[in-house]
Amino acid sequence: MSYRAPVKDLLFCVTELAGLDKVAQIPGFEDAGVDTAAAVIEECGKFNEGVTAPLNWSGDQDHGSWDNGVVKTSPGFKEAYKQLAEGGWQGLHQPTDFGGQGLPKTIGAACIEILVGSNLSFSLCAMLTGGAIEALLTAGSDELKTRYIPKMITGEWTGTMNLTEPQAGSDLALVRSKAVKQDDGTYRISGQKIFITYGEHDMSENIVHLVLARTPDAPEGVKGISLFVVPKFLVNADGSLGKRNDVYCASIEEKLGIKASPTAVLVYGDNKGDVGEGAIGYIVGEENRGLEYMFVMMNAARYDVGMQGIGLSERAYQKAVAYARDRVQSRPVDGSQPGSAAIIHHPDVKRMLMTMRALTEGGRAMALVGAAAYDFAHHHPDAAVAKQNQAFYEFLVPLIKGYGTENSVEVSSLGVQVHGGMGFIEETGAAQYYRDARILPIYEGTTAIQANDLVGRKTARDGGATAKAIAAQIADLEGTLAARESAASQTMAKRLKAAREAFLQVVDFVVANVKSNPNAVFAGSVPYLFLTSTLVSGWQMARALIVAEDKLKAGEDVEFMTAKIATARFFGDHILPRTASLRDTILEGGESVTAMPVDLF
């Protein structure tokens, strides 16, 4: 079946939950109201349905090639990227000062979901380019910004993030790539980087690598890492491309999923270019502050990877629904049909489809509310409002990344299950989503890294203040739900209250024990991330329930509002109760995690 962008639900989340009307009151966003959002999101849907989505399956089958350092992408990718660039999609929420359209992240994030849902492998190039732009905007000199950002916004050049080395995965303190300063202020870079997404390809004229490396006198550990711009081709003073730099693609990886995305091994300083030995690089910001700057790019990427999980979940859900409508098998247990019926009539198939739908819509709602918080944090003129939203957004990032990606594995696995034996056969396409999803909880920081961030930086550091402020907002909503007439709202109030209380118990446990018994706390860090994400997603689904009930009563968009109410009810009845077992695991299960001596494993 063909991918259909979830335009209606994206607009519902952006307008009714994220509060686009308030975002549009921020100076600079006055033209980014509902009409603009609808026009942009609908056009984004049309573009990706027609251009990128048809390349998803073919890219999985013919995922390009490597030959002596030259990478050719999957057939159709180069042409599709040209159309994406010409359409201005790369610069959607980038600043107008450098040629972007200056739209809020609230709208841009909705378009990210559509792009990744249509073709995850293809989307990664644009995602990393956006992260590189954000890092340069934050820490780059005026010269670097002027030289590189406009071309990346137009899509003529693309960007990468070069962190990982064979000995340095999540532990970037082990980075050993070298950067030696030259008399002209440039640096000569040498070393090897692995797992570099779109590190080499044929879709753009130039590739702007952001590379972590150490200067000779740098201190050990993360405090001795610097960040450099290392272009594939040097850029002349007039902006034209010059000599080929000394960066070479030694190979691309054969992977479980996202096969059409070239994952490169890059070698710097092997005298493979036209500049002599050592790639020429340009310092970003100050020496030894590279990891600080790179975290800007990483946080942007982490949010975007969360959106990848949500977009992939949507596509897996659509695929499963289409199959369940067509596949005829067995008589319904209630006798509602005399003979065999489409499997979508069977209760357990409905349960699986509703789980897929509820997890996807809950994650989407949380992520788009997070996007609005980002807009307030970065653009609101009131410093107090900006600070409050920055804390909220930073709290949400590990949830969006961790929950969105872990859910994509669950959702795509359920998609295979709905297909039955045919789901295990590649030609149906369901397996591709499962394979593609499996990387998402790993790259840009594993789920455990997101969970440790949630425990340490986002909960313990402020004594649980941000977490409890969120809980207070949820408590207010419980009162609103309980006062409504519908059974669905009253039941949701009860479920939300139980989840919130479980959450607060865990927050108190984390704050009280993180220093005195860190193993007990961090043994439950991933369950804590799941509990918190489930609660926050449930909070947004409860808000959606209220809106949908009121609009249904007014006769607005009856089918959509009916479905939204049903999905919110399912989330309350089937997803929110997961928080109770997660709480028990965290509060009581830490010792059993660490009790086994390591030599007995």
Side-chain angles (χ1 to χ4, degrees):
M1 51 80 63
S2 300
Y3 169 76
R4 289 291 175 263
V7 171
K8 188 170 287 189
D9 198 50
L10 287 165
L11 284 171
F12 177 89
C13 290
V14 164
T15 57
E16 303 296 342
L17 304 180
L20 183 64
D21 57 335
K22 292 184 176 62
V23 173
Q25 294 173 19
I26 298 173
F29 290 154
E30 294 90 347
D31 295 330
V34 175
D35 290 344
T36 297
V40 171
I41 294 171
E42 287 170 5
E43 188 59 34
C44 184
K46 291 176 184 177
F47 170 77
N48 285 286
E49 288 169 3
V51 176
T52 64
L55 300 174
N56 187 57
W57 167 256
S58 60
D60 189 61
Q61 303 304 301
D62 181 355
H63 38 270
S65 64
W66 174 93
D67 182 23
N68 195 28
V70 176
V71 173
K72 292 185 177 180
T73 51
S74 175
F77 271 39
K78 183 176 181 179
E79 294 76 13
Y81 196 81
K82 182 180 179 182
Q83 292 182 63
L84 179 140
E86 290 174 345
W89 296 109
Q90 183 66 67
L92 201 63
H93 68 273
Q94 302 297 349
T96 55
D97 290 349
F98 294 97
Q101 297 182 46
L103 290 175
K105 187 181 182 80
T106 310
I107 296 175
C111 292
I112 289 171
E113 190 203 314
I114 294 173
L115 175 60
V116 299
S118 69
N119 192 323
L120 178 55
S121 288
F122 176 82
S123 74
L124 298 180
C125 188
M127 183 203 82
L128 287 164
T129 301
I133 291 169
E134 199 155 339
L136 287 176
L137 286 170
T138 300
S141 65
D142 289 342
E143 181 182 358
L144 288 179
K145 291 176 185 177
T146 302
R147 183 181 298 176
Y148 292 103
I149 291 177
K151 293 281 190 178
M152 288 196 283
I153 285 178
T154 62
E156 294 170 79
W157 300 350
T158 58
T160 72
M161 179 164 55
N162 284 229
L163 288 76
T164 308
E165 299 179 4
Q167 79 291 344
S170 299
D171 188 356
L172 294 174
L174 300 177
V175 163
R176 290 290 175 263
S177 292
K178 295 179 181 179
V180 179
K181 193 170 185 178
Q182 307 297 297
D183 292 340
D184 62 359
T186 63
Y187 291 74
R188 288 283 181 163
I189 312 296
S190 60
Q192 184 186 89
K193 297 290 183 176
I194 63 171
F195 302 157
I196 308 306
T197 302
Y198 279 93
E200 177 60 31
H201 61 83
D202 60 354
M203 300 197 311
S204 65
E205 297 174 355
N206 202 6
I207 304 174
V208 182
H209 302 294
L210 289 188
V211 182
L212 290 183
R214 293 181 182 279
T215 57
D217 57 349
E220 288 296 313
V222 296
K223 293 183 179 180
I225 298 174
S226 300
L227 180 63
F228 301 89
V229 168
V230 185
K232 176 180 175 180
F233 290 97
L234 301 184
V235 180
N236 297 320
D238 63 357
S240 63
L241 296 182
K243 295 179 179 180
R244 174 68 187 260
N245 211 347
D246 187 12
V247 51
Y248 174 78
C249 178
S251 64
I252 56 175
E253 306 290 357
E254 289 293 330
K255 308 187 297 293
L256 174 69
I258 56 168
K259 293 185 175 184
S261 165
T263 302
V265 174
L266 295 182
V267 177
Y268 294 85
D270 205 27
N271 203 9
K272 295 279 189 178
D274 303 319
V275 296
E277 189 171 342
I280 296 175
Y282 309 90
I283 188 77
V284 177
E286 301 174 11
E287 287 188 6
N288 303 326
R289 295 182 64 186
L291 198 59
E292 172 190 340
Y293 305 143
M294 186 61 88
F295 261 108
V296 174
M297 189 174 185
M298 288 171 67
N299 270 333
R302 286 173 177 179
Y303 179 93
D304 289 352
V305 173
M307 295 306 298
Q308 288 175 23
I310 295 161
L312 188 65
S313 295
E314 173 66 32
R315 184 144 198 187
Y317 168 73
Q318 290 185 19
K319 182 81 170 176
V321 169
Y323 183 82
R325 290 187 187 281
D326 291 342
R327 176 64 168 169
V328 174
Q329 200 85 164
S330 302
R331 181 171 174 267
V333 294
D334 63 357
S336 57
Q337 295 192 37
S340 295
I343 62 173
I344 200 168
H345 293 284
H346 300 319
D348 194 60
V349 174
K350 284 187 174 181
R351 177 193 62 82
M352 289 189 285
L353 293 175
M354 287 301 296
T355 301
M356 297 171 76
R357 183 182 184 118
L359 290 174
T360 303
E361 291 191 11
R364 175 182 296 133
M366 176 171 65
L368 291 174
V369 167
Y374 176 95
D375 287 328
F376 283 111
H378 287 77
H379 302 286
H380 200 282
D382 187 320
V385 172
K387 183 179 179 181
Q388 181 183 20
N389 278 276
Q390 183 67 26
F392 182 46
Y393 175 73
E394 289 182 354
F395 190 89
L396 289 182
V397 168
L399 310 186
I400 293 165
K401 200 284 182 183
Y403 194 63
T405 60
E406 290 284 356
N407 281 349
S408 72
V409 177
E410 179 178 352
V411 168
S412 58
S413 177
L414 285 171
V416 172
Q417 189 73 14
V418 169
H419 282 75
M422 292 304 296
F424 203 66
I425 307 301
E426 285 287 359
E427 69 186 58
T428 64
Q432 181 189 350
Y433 307 133
Y434 192 27
R435 290 187 286 101
D436 284 354
R438 197 59 198 86
I439 187 60
L440 302 183
I442 298 173
Y443 66 16
E444 305 306 341
T446 65
T447 304
I449 288 174
Q450 308 307 313
N452 290 352
D453 179 44
L454 178 65
V455 167
R457 294 186 182 91
K458 309 302 165 59
T459 303
R461 179 176 288 179
D462 69 357
T466 300
K468 291 181 178 181
I470 292 169
Q473 293 183 64
I474 295 171
D476 289 342
L477 185 67
E478 292 163 22
T480 302
L481 288 161
R484 293 174 67 85
E485 295 179 357
S486 75
S489 287
Q490 292 175 14
T491 300
M492 179 65 90
K494 181 176 69 174
R495 306 285 192 212
L496 205 55
K497 182 175 184 289
R500 175 181 56 82
E501 290 174 346
F503 169 68
L504 287 173
Q505 286 179 272
V506 172
V507 170
D508 287 340
F509 171 79
V510 167
V511 172
N513 293 280
V514 69
K515 290 184 178 179
S516 61
N517 194 358
N519 282 346
V521 171
F522 284 94
S525 63
V526 169
Y528 175 45
L529 183 145
F530 287 156
L531 189 161
T532 307
S533 303
T534 301
L535 172 65
V536 174
S537 295
W539 171 29
Q540 301 311 317
M541 292 302 285
R543 294 178 64 216
L545 173 64
I546 292 173
V547 174
E549 284 185 339
D550 289 347
K551 288 185 177 293
L552 181 64
K553 190 174 182 179
E556 294 183 37
D557 205 343
V558 172
E559 288 188 0
F560 177 84
M561 298 306 164
T562 299
K564 180 61 72 176
I565 291 167
T567 307
R569 285 184 59 195
F570 184 91
F571 198 104
D573 289 344
H574 294 266
I575 309 299
L576 272 176
R578 295 180 180 184
T579 56
S581 61
L582 290 166
R583 172 201 57 205
D584 294 346
T585 295
I586 299 162
L587 299 184
E588 302 171 9
E591 185 177 351
S592 62
V593 172
T594 58
M596 177 80 80
V598 294
D599 57 352
L600 294 183
F601 277 93

